[in-house]
Amino acid sequence: MFIDEVQEIDNFEKALLSLLQDGLCEIMVTGSNAKMLSGELSTRLRGRYIDYRIHSLSYLEFIEFHNLDDSDSSLKLFLQYGGLPQLRQLGIDDEDIVDDYLSNVYDTIVLRDVIERENIRNIPLLRTLVKFVSDNIGKQFSARSIVKFLKSQNTDTSVNMILNYIEYLCNAFIIDRVGRYNIHGKKLLKMGDKFYFEDIGLRNRIIGGNRQFDIEKIMENAVYQHLSRLGYNVYVGQLLKSEIDFVAEKTGSTIYVQVTYLLQSQETLDREFGNLKMIKDNHPKYVVSMDSMSGYANEDGIRHIHLRKFLTMSDY
């Protein structure tokens, strides 16, 4: 039995528990996480469920949905429009239609679901915060630094309010919080979280304007999404004074990933490969860029790979 938008049904948990007790069928329910948090399900369904997170489309799913070849032009479309499945019905030939759709999704999830659920009164602040995060994906910032920035824009708020609003956005799967991991000490750090969007197209629509200089941010977001879809726990790596863009772990597997737009100078090569060389273990290490598919030769076990190739891999 499939039930869509189950959170719209009053006392749905009683009906589900009754059906489960009868044992007549397996039950699949879907719903908006902005209205029905998984933590509440554990109480309402007494733990008798398995929770699946549904991501937006991967790059390979995107080209399959839109009947596209695996090409640089298809990758460009994916990085621009993201992976919301409804785009298949609308088509991606008309940018205005896509923008209108993404705007409607944003208005529905953020301005209706999140605001109604959390009883948010300062809607302009929420809008400003979402735009700030959109413009700073992959950057380390604190609630205090956001408060300071907003005050410079003549918007007064508090650290607690910013922390609460960020938590609401994470709970609704608008953004994901990525913690910092001390590679040398093999432990999570309490400071230095970064944030990435669940869907690139939604992020691009929120920030708007010319995204010509956003490519490295978008690439990082795409790599994070891909690793998350594959079931990895993803962190930002800290190694002495250097940073590794991503440390990805799952049972029996760890990989390290650096992301850069182009390896166009010796300084960039030394930085991206050099940071990975400092990690003294034998786990796979990758430098992901948009250089030609031939790319640079592997060095000291570190593999250089084009973003498009990386997004088609399922095993590292």
Side-chain angles (χ1 to χ4, degrees):
M1 177 180 292
F2 289 84
I3 307 174
D4 190 25
E5 299 296 348
V6 70
Q7 78 281 353
E8 302 291 348
I9 304 171
D10 291 337
N11 298 316
F12 70 85
E13 66 276 11
K14 294 180 180 179
L16 294 182
L17 289 171
S18 176
L19 290 167
L20 283 172
Q21 187 171 353
D22 292 342
L24 299 177
C25 60
E26 292 186 354
I27 304 170
M28 298 285 289
V29 299
T30 65
S32 168
N33 201 65
K35 292 188 176 181
M36 178 183 63
L37 300 183
S38 58
E40 295 170 349
L41 283 178
S42 62
T43 299
R44 300 174 76 173
L45 295 180
R46 305 170 195 170
R48 298 177 64 183
Y49 74 99
I50 299 175
D51 188 10
Y52 296 95
R53 176 172 177 176
I54 307 301
H55 294 276
S56 58
L57 300 178
S58 68
Y59 169 65
L60 285 178
E61 291 168 337
F62 175 85
I63 61 176
E64 180 181 356
F65 265 54
H66 295 284
N67 297 316
L68 299 171
D69 296 327
D70 177 15
S71 65
D72 286 348
S73 60
S74 297
L75 176 62
K76 182 179 178 181
L77 289 172
F78 174 69
L79 296 179
Q80 179 178 358
Y81 294 136
L84 294 184
Q86 183 64 22
L87 290 177
R88 184 182 188 278
Q89 305 299 324
L90 299 175
I92 53 177
D93 298 326
D94 190 323
E95 186 171 350
D96 290 337
I97 291 178
V98 174
D99 283 347
D100 286 345
Y101 167 70
L102 293 174
S103 295
N104 289 334
V105 171
Y106 170 63
D107 290 341
T108 299
I109 295 176
V110 177
L111 298 185
R112 190 187 74 185
D113 289 0
V114 176
I115 289 172
E116 288 182 4
R117 174 186 173 79
E118 307 296 349
N119 195 26
I120 292 174
R121 297 182 179 181
N122 196 338
I123 297 174
L125 173 61
L126 181 65
R127 282 183 175 272
T128 302
L129 177 62
V130 174
K131 195 161 188 175
F132 178 89
V133 176
S134 302
D135 196 34
N136 288 275
I137 53 174
K139 291 184 179 180
Q140 179 183 348
F141 56 81
S142 65
R144 194 172 301 278
S145 66
I146 297 175
V147 170
K148 184 177 180 180
F149 167 77
L150 291 176
K151 284 185 176 180
S152 72
Q153 305 296 310
N154 299 316
T155 301
D156 287 326
T157 184
S158 67
V159 169
N160 284 340
M161 184 172 286
I162 293 299
L163 290 173
N164 287 337
Y165 281 16
I166 287 177
E167 192 66 23
Y168 299 156
L169 294 169
C170 289
N171 289 340
F173 293 152
I174 305 298
I175 59 176
D176 284 348
R177 184 194 307 271
V178 179
R180 188 171 291 271
Y181 183 86
N182 186 318
I183 296 173
H184 180 72
K186 302 296 183 183
K187 63 181 180 179
L188 288 174
L189 302 176
K190 294 182 179 180
M191 302 292 290
D193 292 347
K194 295 186 177 184
F195 295 88
Y196 295 94
F197 271 73
E198 165 61 29
D199 184 75
I200 300 173
L202 194 58
R203 177 266 170 187
N204 291 342
R205 186 66 194 94
I206 291 169
I207 195 62
N210 188 334
R211 295 179 289 274
Q212 178 181 354
F213 302 107
D214 272 4
I215 183 61
E216 199 156 298
K217 300 177 186 178
I218 296 171
M219 289 174 63
E220 272 194 43
N221 208 130
V223 168
Y224 165 76
Q225 287 177 324
H226 184 64
L227 293 171
S228 181
R229 287 188 191 99
L230 293 179
Y232 284 94
N233 296 314
V234 185
Y235 310 99
V236 177
Q238 187 70 44
L239 185 64
L240 301 176
K241 294 183 179 180
S242 300
E243 181 177 284
I244 306 300
D245 289 332
F246 297 114
V247 179
E249 296 181 331
K250 63 179 177 181
T251 305
S253 175
T254 300
I255 66 170
Y256 304 101
V257 184
Q258 288 284 81
V259 183
T260 188
Y261 178 37
L262 295 173
L263 296 167
Q264 55 189 358
S265 68
Q266 189 61 46
E267 179 183 359
T268 304
L269 281 167
D270 292 342
R271 181 183 68 247
E272 303 301 336
F273 282 88
N275 287 354
L276 292 173
K277 288 178 182 179
M278 289 190 294
I279 304 174
K280 304 303 181 182
D281 64 36
N282 295 320
H283 294 303
K285 303 174 180 68
Y286 296 88
V287 173
V288 179
S289 79
M290 293 284 272
D291 292 280
S292 63
M293 293 298 285
S294 58
Y296 293 82
N298 297 341
E299 186 175 335
D300 292 346
I302 301 169
R303 183 177 176 186
H304 171 243
I305 187 170
H306 191 279
L307 175 64
R308 179 157 64 86
K309 175 66 175 176
F310 188 84
L311 296 182
T312 63
M313 296 173 64
S314 59
D315 185 17
Y316 299 96

